[in-house]
Amino acid sequence: MRDSRSQKTYHIVIVLIFNTFLEIVLEMTSRFIRSISSSRCDGKSENEMNNGDEESGKYPLATILSMRGGDGHNSYSTNSLLQRRVLSMTKPILVKNTKEMMTNLDFPKCIKLADLGCSSGQNTFTAMSDIVNTIIALCEESNKNPPEIDCCLNDLSGNDFNMTFKFLTFFNDKLTSKIPCFVSGVPGSFYSRLFPRKSLHFVHSNYSLHYLSKVPDGLEKNKMSVYITGSSLPSEHKAYLNQFQKDFTTFLRMRSEEVVSNGRMVLTLIGRKTLDDPLYRDCCHWLTLLSDSLRDLVFEGLVSASKVSSFKVPFYDPNGDEVKELIRNEGSFMVNDLETHIFDLGLSNEEYGLQSDRAKAGEKEANCIRAVTETMLVAYFGDAINIATLFEKYAHHVSQHASCKNKTSVSLVVSLIRK
């Protein structure tokens, strides 16, 4: 037993030494290529450029986690099919909890709903219409007058709410009956108080709570990975887990002030199914592929290794046990449902008889991730990277890993009852 542990420790040390050596080589290559092309630049010294890198590194990433706005080719509104499919997958839990909430609260005359992390586009109205139509149908079945409904759409202040409200007609068309329904935007972080005490009856959040309020402290700065990998130190996973524990607990405490007794929450976030190895992320994990794409730019001399090494994503993919433990420890809510579903962008599952099919699927998946991360990447790197080039690399990596079957990511769906 002692020998096997020694061998495992030896293996980890070798991997870390190799990674450090690789990063040094890439940094030296990057500097050499940039020095060759320096005569084409605007005359800035390397010290000036490095100072710029340091200033970018101070940018508070979690304040600019809004998705890309508008309705263009690279917008979130155009590239959020994954989130729409997840909404379809979670609809049974949404409907079930809506019915139970209405019955347990004895059909209130006014219902206040909140979608936290609504983003831009039609998806938020898909969720809201599912809840409202369930209420309408239940009232008709029970011979009750339908309530007035207040739909509150929340996201960070940088969100493109104007784009979201362009889909109000879409929302109204999806409703099965014309009942009093009021829609409003609520800018702010859901890691803070957003609503008056005991005012919410139903809270929904889809693919938002895996984002942290900040990048964890104490992460390695000399490793060109934007997130946890199999070669990360255990302390790195601990830093991410600690930040998630703080943030998720804060979220529960804030909502415990706002949600009425017997009110409901249905939360969906990206998680993982691995329990034995908290560091393991598969080769096609979306942040692993983003790291690979950034390293490509470093190798080609298009961005410095030090700048990439200092970029980390405020994200954590918990397993179901971690989520349940936090809910139990916070104490304000009771778990009603907890389901795990295979996380798959679904864009790379096409037939791969032709290389062109793989390339097309890779491009679709890259567009999806670009819509989610572009605002954050531009805020950090500025003009230091070409976003289009980065996601061309990303699309290539997706196509190379299209046959990966050992995927660790799942969608966690949890419904909660306010005690």
Side-chain angles (χ1 to χ4, degrees):
M1 179 67 70
R2 200 170 288 173
D3 290 343
S4 64
R5 287 180 181 175
S6 300
Q7 290 175 358
K8 185 175 182 180
T9 302
Y10 177 77
H11 175 71
I12 293 173
V13 170
I14 292 297
V15 169
L16 290 173
I17 292 174
F18 176 77
N19 285 343
T20 302
F21 174 74
L22 178 61
E23 286 161 12
I24 293 172
V25 172
L26 287 173
E27 175 68 16
M28 293 177 64
T29 303
S30 173
R31 291 192 178 197
F32 175 72
I33 295 175
R34 282 187 283 123
S35 68
I36 293 176
S37 58
S38 61
S39 60
R40 303 174 191 169
C41 298
D42 58 5
K44 288 185 179 180
S45 68
E46 185 173 349
N47 285 337
E48 289 176 311
M49 288 189 286
N50 286 340
N51 288 337
D53 288 358
E54 291 173 6
E55 288 302 312
S56 297
K58 297 174 184 176
Y59 202 98
L61 291 180
T63 65
I64 41 83
L65 277 173
S66 300
M67 308 298 102
R68 174 157 175 170
D71 58 358
H73 178 68
N74 296 312
S75 68
Y76 178 84
S77 180
T78 303
N79 296 283
S80 53
L81 177 61
L82 164 66
Q83 292 83 349
R84 209 167 305 150
R85 285 207 319 273
V86 171
L87 286 173
S88 178
M89 174 193 71
T90 60
K91 183 176 178 179
I93 289 182
L94 201 63
V95 170
K96 169 180 175 284
N97 280 272
T98 301
K99 289 180 177 179
E100 292 174 353
M101 178 268 296
M102 287 294 294
T103 302
N104 292 340
L105 295 178
D106 197 21
F107 292 86
K109 293 181 179 179
C110 181
I111 294 290
K112 189 167 186 174
L113 315 174
D115 188 27
L116 307 185
C118 66
S119 194
S120 57
Q122 72 180 53
N123 288 352
T124 185
F125 288 123
T126 298
M128 290 293 100
S129 62
D130 286 340
I131 298 171
V132 173
N133 285 336
T134 300
I135 293 173
I136 292 171
L138 184 62
C139 287
E140 290 176 352
E141 292 172 8
S142 306
N143 197 26
K144 301 282 189 178
N145 291 326
E148 292 187 337
I149 300 179
D150 189 6
C151 297
C152 304
L153 311 182
N154 155 261
D155 212 312
L156 296 173
S157 57
N159 183 57
D160 189 353
F161 283 101
N162 287 334
M163 186 67 227
T164 301
F165 290 127
K166 287 182 180 180
F167 286 91
L168 268 172
T169 301
F170 166 83
F171 173 61
N172 290 324
D173 290 342
K174 283 184 73 67
L175 298 184
T176 56
S177 178
K178 303 306 176 186
I179 65 171
C181 201
F182 308 92
V183 179
S184 60
V186 182
S189 169
F190 49 53
Y191 294 124
S192 65
R193 281 287 301 278
L194 295 167
F195 304 97
R197 290 178 184 276
K198 306 304 178 186
S199 63
L200 295 177
H201 299 86
F202 200 103
V203 173
H204 174 262
S205 182
N206 184 57
Y207 269 33
S208 296
L209 281 164
H210 41 244
Y211 290 113
L212 306 175
S213 66
K214 56 174 283 189
V215 174
D217 298 323
L219 300 180
E220 297 177 85
K221 299 298 183 184
N222 62 340
K223 182 179 179 182
M224 287 189 291
S225 296
V226 304
Y227 188 51
I228 298 167
T229 68
S231 61
S232 297
L233 295 174
S235 59
E236 187 162 356
H237 169 260
K238 186 65 175 176
Y240 275 103
L241 175 58
N242 286 344
Q243 190 60 49
F244 176 76
Q245 289 171 335
K246 292 176 184 176
D247 287 341
F248 194 69
T249 299
T250 297
F251 175 86
L252 294 173
R253 287 175 180 163
M254 297 301 102
R255 303 297 80 78
S256 71
E257 296 286 335
E258 300 164 348
V259 177
V260 302
S261 180
N262 279 318
R264 302 294 172 116
M265 294 203 297
V266 174
L267 315 173
T268 306
L269 63 160
I270 297 175
R272 72 181 193 282
K273 63 182 180 181
T274 51
L275 299 176
D276 54 339
D277 185 356
L279 293 178
Y280 180 72
R281 298 300 184 281
D282 57 69
C283 63
C284 51
H285 189 284
W286 67 283
L287 288 176
T288 301
L289 298 183
L290 183 60
S291 298
D292 292 343
S293 304
L294 285 167
R295 278 195 291 268
D296 288 346
L297 298 188
V298 171
F299 186 75
E300 295 177 14
L302 300 178
V303 66
S304 71
S306 60
K307 196 170 184 70
V308 172
S309 294
S310 61
F311 176 69
K312 307 294 179 182
V313 176
F315 170 92
Y316 184 70
D317 44 358
N319 61 46
D321 288 348
E322 290 169 344
V323 171
K324 284 190 293 186
E325 181 181 5
L326 291 174
I327 295 168
R328 182 175 60 252
N329 291 343
E330 194 280 329
S332 299
F333 294 88
M334 179 176 65
V335 176
N336 192 36
D337 305 282
L338 178 59
E339 295 182 358
T340 60
H341 299 266
I342 296 299
F343 171 90
D344 198 325
L345 289 174
L347 304 173
S348 53
N349 286 339
E350 302 176 11
E351 290 296 326
Y352 293 111
L354 298 174
Q355 186 65 30
S356 59
D357 293 332
R358 300 175 67 135
K360 182 179 179 181
E363 182 181 354
K364 287 181 179 179
E365 189 165 321
N367 287 342
C368 176
I369 301 303
R370 176 175 178 171
V372 171
T373 59
E374 181 169 359
T375 303
M376 178 170 50
L377 288 164
V378 170
Y380 182 82
F381 288 101
D383 295 332
I385 62 172
N386 183 298
I387 292 293
T389 302
L390 173 64
F391 284 98
E392 285 173 5
K393 306 289 186 186
Y394 192 100
H396 172 72
H397 285 295
V398 171
S399 65
Q400 296 302 110
H401 290 283
S403 60
C404 175
K405 300 298 182 184
N406 189 28
K407 297 183 179 180
T408 58
S409 295
V410 295
S411 294
L412 294 178
V413 189
V414 58
S415 70
L416 305 176
I417 304 173
R418 178 68 172 96
K419 293 180 180 177

